[in-house]
mmCIF file of all heavy atoms in Angstrom:
data_model
loop_
_atom_site.group_PDB
_atom_site.id
_atom_site.type_symbol
_atom_site.label_atom_id
_atom_site.label_comp_id
_atom_site.label_asym_id
_atom_site.label_seq_id
_atom_site.Cartn_x
_atom_site.Cartn_y
_atom_site.Cartn_z
ATOM 1 N N GLY A 69 -9.556 42.448 -37.609
ATOM 2 C CA GLY A 69 -10.704 42.077 -38.446
ATOM 3 C C GLY A 69 -11.466 40.914 -37.835
ATOM 4 O O GLY A 69 -12.721 40.878 -37.834
ATOM 5 N N MET A 70 -10.739 39.918 -37.307
ATOM 6 C CA MET A 70 -11.418 38.750 -36.710
ATOM 7 C C MET A 70 -12.206 39.179 -35.471
ATOM 8 O O MET A 70 -13.307 38.743 -35.214
ATOM 9 C CB MET A 70 -10.364 37.717 -36.300
ATOM 10 C CG MET A 70 -9.686 37.038 -37.508
ATOM 11 S SD MET A 70 -8.328 35.962 -37.021
ATOM 12 C CE MET A 70 -9.211 34.766 -36.003
ATOM 13 N N ARG A 80 -11.574 38.236 -19.566
ATOM 14 C CA ARG A 80 -11.293 37.621 -18.240
ATOM 15 C C ARG A 80 -9.800 37.701 -17.977
ATOM 16 O O ARG A 80 -9.014 37.307 -18.863
ATOM 17 C CB ARG A 80 -11.770 36.192 -18.193
ATOM 18 C CG ARG A 80 -13.277 36.049 -18.370
ATOM 19 C CD ARG A 80 -13.671 34.580 -18.283
ATOM 20 N NE ARG A 80 -15.081 34.386 -18.445
ATOM 21 C CZ ARG A 80 -15.720 33.198 -18.457
ATOM 22 N NH1 ARG A 80 -14.988 32.115 -18.344
ATOM 23 N NH2 ARG A 80 -17.027 33.112 -18.619
ATOM 24 N N ILE A 88 -1.434 25.305 -12.248
ATOM 25 C CA ILE A 88 -1.780 24.187 -11.362
ATOM 26 C C ILE A 88 -3.197 24.250 -10.862
ATOM 27 O O ILE A 88 -3.649 23.352 -10.195
ATOM 28 C CB ILE A 88 -0.831 24.105 -10.159
ATOM 29 C CG1 ILE A 88 -1.000 25.332 -9.232
ATOM 30 C CG2 ILE A 88 0.593 23.980 -10.574
ATOM 31 C CD1 ILE A 88 -0.301 25.186 -7.906
ATOM 32 N N LYS A 143 9.801 29.500 16.986
ATOM 33 C CA LYS A 143 11.044 28.916 16.512
ATOM 34 C C LYS A 143 11.228 29.159 15.027
ATOM 35 O O LYS A 143 12.306 29.518 14.552
ATOM 36 C CB LYS A 143 11.091 27.433 16.856
ATOM 37 C CG LYS A 143 12.345 26.724 16.409
ATOM 38 C CD LYS A 143 12.312 25.235 16.762
ATOM 39 C CE LYS A 143 13.579 24.536 16.342
ATOM 40 N NZ LYS A 143 13.538 23.084 16.675
ATOM 41 N N ALA A 198 -12.489 16.058 -0.452
ATOM 42 C CA ALA A 198 -11.425 16.528 -1.338
ATOM 43 C C ALA A 198 -10.356 17.175 -0.489
ATOM 44 O O ALA A 198 -10.574 17.608 0.646
ATOM 45 C CB ALA A 198 -11.972 17.498 -2.391
ATOM 46 N N PHE A 220 -14.629 10.138 -9.613
ATOM 47 C CA PHE A 220 -14.763 10.998 -10.804
ATOM 48 C C PHE A 220 -13.815 12.182 -10.763
ATOM 49 O O PHE A 220 -14.119 13.273 -11.283
ATOM 50 C CB PHE A 220 -16.209 11.507 -10.886
ATOM 51 C CG PHE A 220 -17.197 10.458 -11.308
ATOM 52 C CD1 PHE A 220 -18.048 9.899 -10.362
ATOM 53 C CD2 PHE A 220 -17.255 10.013 -12.622
ATOM 54 C CE1 PHE A 220 -18.981 8.932 -10.750
ATOM 55 C CE2 PHE A 220 -18.188 9.056 -12.994
ATOM 56 C CZ PHE A 220 -19.031 8.494 -12.064
ATOM 57 N N ALA A 245 -33.963 12.595 5.290
ATOM 58 C CA ALA A 245 -34.965 11.868 6.138
ATOM 59 C C ALA A 245 -34.400 10.509 6.542
ATOM 60 O O ALA A 245 -34.577 10.089 7.686
ATOM 61 C CB ALA A 245 -36.247 11.743 5.354
ATOM 62 N N ASN A 258 -29.630 1.054 20.607
ATOM 63 C CA ASN A 258 -28.306 0.914 21.256
ATOM 64 C C ASN A 258 -27.287 0.240 20.354
ATOM 65 O O ASN A 258 -26.429 -0.529 20.813
ATOM 66 C CB ASN A 258 -28.475 0.090 22.559
ATOM 67 C CG ASN A 258 -29.521 0.687 23.495
ATOM 68 O OD1 ASN A 258 -29.334 1.796 24.016
ATOM 69 N ND2 ASN A 258 -30.597 -0.035 23.688
ATOM 70 N N PHE A 320 -33.913 -16.144 -1.623
ATOM 71 C CA PHE A 320 -33.175 -16.521 -2.832
ATOM 72 C C PHE A 320 -33.256 -18.026 -3.075
ATOM 73 O O PHE A 320 -33.399 -18.479 -4.221
ATOM 74 C CB PHE A 320 -31.716 -16.081 -2.724
ATOM 75 C CG PHE A 320 -31.524 -14.617 -2.597
ATOM 76 C CD1 PHE A 320 -30.665 -14.062 -1.671
ATOM 77 C CD2 PHE A 320 -32.204 -13.739 -3.418
ATOM 78 C CE1 PHE A 320 -30.457 -12.713 -1.571
ATOM 79 C CE2 PHE A 320 -32.024 -12.362 -3.335
ATOM 80 C CZ PHE A 320 -31.171 -11.848 -2.371
ATOM 81 N N LEU A 328 -36.372 -23.409 -10.893
ATOM 82 C CA LEU A 328 -35.932 -24.712 -11.400
ATOM 83 C C LEU A 328 -37.061 -25.738 -11.461
ATOM 84 O O LEU A 328 -36.862 -26.862 -11.942
ATOM 85 C CB LEU A 328 -34.805 -25.255 -10.479
ATOM 86 C CG LEU A 328 -33.490 -24.457 -10.498
ATOM 87 C CD1 LEU A 328 -32.552 -24.986 -9.421
ATOM 88 C CD2 LEU A 328 -32.828 -24.535 -11.859
ATOM 89 N N LYS A 377 -33.322 -27.780 3.348
ATOM 90 C CA LYS A 377 -33.723 -28.898 2.486
ATOM 91 C C LYS A 377 -33.985 -28.440 1.043
ATOM 92 O O LYS A 377 -33.671 -29.145 0.085
ATOM 93 C CB LYS A 377 -34.979 -29.524 3.093
ATOM 94 C CG LYS A 377 -34.703 -30.321 4.372
ATOM 95 C CD LYS A 377 -35.946 -31.040 4.893
ATOM 96 C CE LYS A 377 -35.593 -31.857 6.155
ATOM 97 N NZ LYS A 377 -36.755 -32.593 6.677
ATOM 98 N N GLN A 387 -26.598 -23.476 -6.936
ATOM 99 C CA GLN A 387 -26.733 -22.354 -5.974
ATOM 100 C C GLN A 387 -25.671 -21.285 -6.257
ATOM 101 O O GLN A 387 -25.943 -20.087 -6.245
ATOM 102 C CB GLN A 387 -26.587 -22.864 -4.549
ATOM 103 C CG GLN A 387 -26.818 -21.806 -3.490
ATOM 104 C CD GLN A 387 -26.465 -22.269 -2.114
ATOM 105 O OE1 GLN A 387 -25.410 -22.862 -1.861
ATOM 106 N NE2 GLN A 387 -27.350 -22.037 -1.143
ATOM 107 N N SER A 433 -20.588 -13.725 3.269
ATOM 108 C CA SER A 433 -20.740 -12.369 3.760
ATOM 109 C C SER A 433 -20.786 -11.411 2.601
ATOM 110 O O SER A 433 -19.978 -11.480 1.651
ATOM 111 C CB SER A 433 -19.548 -11.985 4.677
ATOM 112 O OG SER A 433 -19.514 -12.811 5.822
ATOM 113 N N ILE A 453 -29.970 -5.918 -11.907
ATOM 114 C CA ILE A 453 -29.709 -4.520 -12.122
ATOM 115 C C ILE A 453 -28.338 -4.171 -11.550
ATOM 116 O O ILE A 453 -27.817 -4.849 -10.666
ATOM 117 C CB ILE A 453 -30.785 -3.606 -11.478
ATOM 118 C CG1 ILE A 453 -30.897 -3.803 -9.999
ATOM 119 C CG2 ILE A 453 -32.121 -3.828 -12.163
ATOM 120 C CD1 ILE A 453 -30.183 -2.767 -9.217
ATOM 121 N N ASP A 509 -25.568 -14.021 14.087
ATOM 122 C CA ASP A 509 -24.555 -13.828 15.155
ATOM 123 C C ASP A 509 -23.293 -13.201 14.584
ATOM 124 O O ASP A 509 -22.866 -13.557 13.489
ATOM 125 C CB ASP A 509 -24.242 -15.145 15.826
ATOM 126 C CG ASP A 509 -25.432 -15.704 16.619
ATOM 127 O OD1 ASP A 509 -26.258 -14.908 17.052
ATOM 128 O OD2 ASP A 509 -25.565 -16.927 16.701
ATOM 129 N N LYS A 512 -16.451 -13.423 15.793
ATOM 130 C CA LYS A 512 -15.377 -12.822 16.579
ATOM 131 C C LYS A 512 -14.202 -12.375 15.648
ATOM 132 O O LYS A 512 -14.026 -12.979 14.604
ATOM 133 C CB LYS A 512 -14.848 -13.818 17.631
ATOM 134 C CG LYS A 512 -15.878 -14.138 18.690
ATOM 135 C CD LYS A 512 -15.350 -15.143 19.726
ATOM 136 C CE LYS A 512 -16.394 -15.426 20.791
ATOM 137 N NZ LYS A 512 -15.915 -16.394 21.793
ATOM 138 N N LYS A 522 -23.983 -10.718 20.460
ATOM 139 C CA LYS A 522 -23.788 -9.624 19.482
ATOM 140 C C LYS A 522 -24.305 -10.099 18.148
ATOM 141 O O LYS A 522 -23.944 -11.222 17.699
ATOM 142 C CB LYS A 522 -22.300 -9.260 19.355
ATOM 143 C CG LYS A 522 -21.709 -8.619 20.632
ATOM 144 C CD LYS A 522 -20.245 -8.237 20.418
ATOM 145 C CE LYS A 522 -19.663 -7.646 21.688
ATOM 146 N NZ LYS A 522 -18.229 -7.262 21.483
ATOM 147 N N ASP A 545 -25.777 -2.764 13.566
ATOM 148 C CA ASP A 545 -24.652 -3.495 14.108
ATOM 149 C C ASP A 545 -24.720 -3.531 15.628
ATOM 150 O O ASP A 545 -24.684 -2.500 16.307
ATOM 151 C CB ASP A 545 -23.339 -2.798 13.676
ATOM 152 C CG ASP A 545 -22.097 -3.555 14.056
ATOM 153 O OD1 ASP A 545 -22.245 -4.665 14.620
ATOM 154 O OD2 ASP A 545 -20.966 -3.084 13.779
ATOM 155 N N GLY A 552 -38.395 -4.520 27.014
ATOM 156 C CA GLY A 552 -39.056 -5.624 27.693
ATOM 157 C C GLY A 552 -38.314 -6.118 28.928
ATOM 158 O O GLY A 552 -37.381 -5.455 29.414
ATOM 159 N N ALA A 559 -33.847 -9.143 14.421
ATOM 160 C CA ALA A 559 -34.237 -8.132 13.465
ATOM 161 C C ALA A 559 -35.676 -7.700 13.636
ATOM 162 O O ALA A 559 -35.995 -6.507 13.464
ATOM 163 C CB ALA A 559 -33.987 -8.647 12.043
ATOM 164 N N GLY A 567 -36.863 0.259 9.894
ATOM 165 C CA GLY A 567 -37.197 0.266 8.464
ATOM 166 C C GLY A 567 -38.623 0.743 8.178
ATOM 167 O O GLY A 567 -38.870 1.501 7.237
#
Side-chain angles (χ1 to χ4, degrees):
M70 293 173 60
R80 297 180 181 178
I88 67 169
K143 182 179 179 180
F220 287 105
N258 306 294
F320 297 136
L328 294 172
K377 290 184 176 181
Q387 185 189 48
S433 298
I453 60 99
D509 292 332
K512 295 180 179 179
K522 295 181 181 180
D545 186 2

